[in-house]
Amino acid sequence: MVKLKPSLLLAVILSLCALPLFSHSFERKVVQEKQQQTFYYTWFDDQDKEQKLSFSYSNDQLFNHYRRFKGFNAQEYLDKIDIKVRNTIREFDRRKYTLETQRKERSIEYKVYSDDKALLKDVEARVEKAKQSARKSYLRKHHYADLEAAWAIDAVRPDLPRFVKNSYDYISPIREAILTKFGNNVRPKTVINFVLSWLQAMPTSELPDRFHNSGENFKPPLKLIRQQYGDVDSKLVLTSAILKAIYPRLTIAIITSPNHALIGLNLPIRKGDKHVEINGLKYLVGEVTGPKQYPIAEVSSSSWSMLKSKQYIVDII
């Protein structure tokens, strides 16, 4: 019997913990066919019933959909803001004012000093305008957005609603495969639970701290399909895009907490259904990660505690 040193054993344990969570019932096969790939999935839903799904994508679609998206670079972000601010105020006489900067992890603050009150006011206004302009421009260009949560000051995240809206056209092969499977007369909840069970069965990677590692493990929809696993935000975007493509009139809520995310669907509520009320409307809530399977209107105890505590933000699509 081989004995491992304590330090080596700890390293092995940590490396295993970092791997995606796999459902034992999930199988995925990919067949390369000339310039396209066909994906075959088999898994078991919450009723322990075997489910199957298959669809094809061209290599061009798979490898070029948001291929330049990357984890948030805070240093580059702050550098771009600083360059914009300093270029904007070059017209002012540098001898008549002093500009001090203070960099934090995700923000940069400016303080202007001058004996000329009119100049001081003008420079301060220009600085703030340039700062906000540079911030918004950088975030939009790189598909990020402010998190805007009390529990994550100065934090940013992948622009989840934008990823959903911009992915409708790319979801067509999946949409058509699901519609072909179920036809037009099936209840929406049947289709919704099928989609949820597929995403829940799919391997899940860790969601890093939203403040310190924004977008580190996030995968746009087709990258998630290609690499077969992703974090909860990645799965939430793919789920939302599929359901919105199938049911264009369905109002969807993206519910984000410090370390998790849920989907909300504005559908009729039955007694016992887990739901939240947002702006006067009720939304059934659902999990998009596993490995345990939950149909719509059922969530884990930890997710329900999070919802009851109101520690989340919402985006409506």
Side-chain angles (χ1 to χ4, degrees):
M1 180 177 178
V2 178
K3 293 185 177 181
L4 297 176
K5 294 181 179 180
S7 60
L8 181 58
L9 179 60
L10 177 60
V12 171
I13 293 173
L14 290 175
S15 65
L16 290 174
C17 290
L19 294 175
L21 295 175
F22 287 81
S23 168
H24 295 298
S25 62
F26 180 83
E27 294 183 6
R28 170 182 179 265
K29 179 182 178 181
V30 183
V31 177
Q32 180 71 52
E33 304 169 297
K34 295 183 179 180
Q35 298 301 313
Q36 73 172 22
Q37 295 183 33
T38 300
F39 298 81
Y40 299 89
Y41 297 88
T42 303
W43 72 96
F44 289 84
D45 63 17
D46 66 292
Q47 301 297 315
D48 205 28
K49 180 180 178 181
E50 186 179 71
Q51 300 288 356
K52 292 180 179 292
L53 179 67
S54 64
F55 49 82
S56 300
Y57 273 99
S58 70
N59 290 337
D60 182 63
Q61 288 175 308
L62 284 173
F63 290 94
N64 289 316
H65 182 54
Y66 287 114
R67 66 187 179 87
R68 293 181 180 176
F69 177 81
K70 60 183 180 180
F72 189 75
N73 187 327
Q75 186 63 45
E76 180 183 74
Y77 167 66
L78 297 180
D79 285 345
K80 293 292 186 182
I81 293 174
D82 198 41
I83 291 170
K84 175 74 172 180
V85 167
R86 294 182 185 280
N87 286 341
T88 299
I89 59 175
R90 277 183 175 178
E91 65 184 81
F92 297 102
D93 188 341
R94 190 67 180 82
R95 296 169 297 179
K96 295 182 179 180
Y97 70 92
T98 301
L99 180 70
E100 291 183 357
T101 64
Q102 181 183 12
R103 286 198 181 205
K104 299 179 182 178
E105 189 168 354
R106 289 290 171 85
S107 66
I108 184 168
E109 303 299 329
Y110 294 92
K111 185 67 177 178
V112 184
Y113 299 93
S114 177
D115 293 330
D116 186 331
K117 292 184 178 181
L119 176 66
L120 176 63
K121 185 177 180 179
D122 201 2
V123 174
E124 286 179 333
R126 295 286 189 89
V127 166
E128 184 62 23
K129 184 177 181 180
K131 174 184 171 181
Q132 296 306 325
S133 174
R135 284 186 67 260
K136 292 177 181 178
S137 176
Y138 184 90
L139 293 177
R140 180 158 186 80
K141 178 180 178 181
H142 295 276
H143 297 88
Y144 279 87
D146 289 310
L147 188 51
E148 297 181 345
W151 35 264
I153 305 300
D154 294 329
V156 301
R157 64 167 179 174
D159 193 340
L160 305 186
R162 186 179 172 197
F163 274 108
V164 172
K165 294 172 185 176
N166 289 351
S167 296
Y168 296 156
D169 291 343
Y170 294 92
I171 296 303
S172 293
I174 303 174
R175 174 183 178 275
E176 294 307 315
I178 293 173
L179 290 178
T180 299
K181 180 181 180 68
F182 287 100
N184 298 319
N185 297 320
V186 70
R187 294 170 62 245
K189 282 189 178 180
T190 300
V191 176
I192 290 167
N193 284 331
F194 174 81
V195 175
L196 289 180
S197 71
W198 175 44
L199 269 295
Q200 289 168 8
M202 191 181 295
T204 302
S205 57
E206 179 186 4
L207 176 71
D209 181 295
R210 289 190 185 279
F211 182 82
H212 297 285
N213 301 286
S214 301
E216 180 179 297
N217 285 352
F218 179 78
K219 294 181 174 68
L222 296 195
K223 186 174 182 180
L224 173 57
I225 293 298
R226 178 162 53 87
Q227 296 189 353
Q228 85 153 321
Y229 66 89
D231 65 15
V232 64
D233 287 353
S234 308
K235 289 189 169 189
L236 183 56
V237 166
L238 178 56
T239 305
S240 301
I242 292 171
L243 294 182
K244 197 71 174 179
I246 295 174
Y247 303 111
R249 293 186 175 182
L250 178 63
T251 303
I252 296 177
I254 290 178
I255 303 169
T256 304
S257 74
N259 52 22
H260 196 40
L262 300 168
I263 192 169
L265 305 177
N266 181 221
L267 292 170
I269 308 294
R270 298 181 304 180
K271 185 177 180 181
D273 284 347
K274 292 290 190 295
H275 66 277
V276 294
E277 187 168 321
I278 303 167
N279 299 328
L281 297 177
K282 294 181 178 180
Y283 291 78
L284 296 178
V285 290
E287 300 277 5
V288 295
T289 60
K292 185 174 181 179
Q293 293 273 322
Y294 291 95
I296 190 64
E298 292 184 25
V299 294
S300 68
S301 57
S302 60
S303 292
W304 187 237
S305 296
M306 175 271 290
L307 290 171
K308 290 194 295 184
S309 70
K310 305 293 184 181
Q311 291 296 305
Y312 59 85
I313 60 172
V314 177
D315 295 284
I316 301 297
I317 301 174

